[in-house]
Amino acid sequence: MTDHIYAAEHPETTHVRPGGFTLWFTGLSGSGKTTIAHLVGPELDRRGLVVEYLDGDNVRMHLSKGLGFSKEDRDTHVERVGWVASRITRQGGAVITAAISPYAATRQQARDWVESVGTFVEVFIKASVEECARRDVKGLYAKAFAGEIKGF
């Protein structure tokens, strides 16, 4: 059915408000992406910027509900985060994402959208699988290790 859905023919604003950017935090689940985002965001806010967080878990709950962890689902999720980030960046906002985005091609798509209207900064948060599993408050690693989550 989706092959019959077309974008509406309407004028889209071409105005770009200066100063917009996206900080794209990526890394394994539990690596500290959200924690770091919540340290950076208030400082940007203190400096007078309009800050919007696009946390992977929150986006999954609202815009990507029902998506799993297959490559196709992960790509769809990251594309949605990237597209929304580009819309906010275009309006001069400071976007902070914290999303597991393991595939370079999909991150590049997000980068391309954002860089067409502002600045994109990718930050990889490096942490070992063992450390991430130790920090895991959601129990995702235990489920993945037990084979309950495919493609995690």
Side-chain angles (χ1 to χ4, degrees):
M1 278 296 186
T2 58
D3 57 340
H4 300 299
I5 298 173
Y6 302 96
E9 295 288 331
H10 63 25
E12 189 170 311
T13 182
T14 57
H15 179 74
V16 176
R17 288 178 174 81
F21 63 90
T22 294
L23 297 177
W24 190 280
F25 292 105
T26 186
L28 296 172
S29 178
S31 63
K33 299 176 301 298
T34 298
T35 300
I36 294 170
H38 287 180
L39 293 171
V40 172
E43 178 58 26
L44 296 176
D45 185 59
R46 188 186 69 71
R47 295 178 184 202
L49 299 173
V50 174
V51 179
E52 186 60 55
Y53 296 92
L54 295 176
D55 184 82
D57 289 340
N58 291 339
V59 173
R60 273 187 179 276
M61 192 172 8
H62 298 288
L63 293 179
S64 296
K65 194 173 202 163
L67 293 179
F69 297 102
S70 69
K71 181 179 185 324
E72 181 179 322
D73 283 357
R74 285 184 184 276
D75 285 349
T76 297
H77 174 68
V78 170
E79 287 170 358
R80 290 175 183 177
V81 173
W83 188 83
V84 172
S86 74
R87 304 297 78 172
I88 297 167
T89 298
R90 181 177 69 186
Q91 297 305 318
V95 180
I96 302 174
T97 72
I100 300 168
S101 38
Y103 304 111
T106 315
R107 285 193 314 275
Q108 185 62 51
Q109 176 64 66
R111 177 186 294 274
D112 291 345
W113 283 327
V114 170
E115 286 184 339
S116 72
V117 294
T119 301
F120 182 97
V121 178
E122 182 178 326
V123 181
F124 176 71
I125 309 301
K126 184 177 180 180
S128 69
V129 170
E130 294 78 22
E131 180 60 21
C132 291
R134 188 188 68 74
R135 297 177 187 174
D136 184 20
V137 296
K138 299 177 226 168
L140 296 175
Y141 283 91
K143 288 179 182 178
F145 294 153
E148 297 173 30
I149 301 176
K150 302 295 182 204
F152 182 74

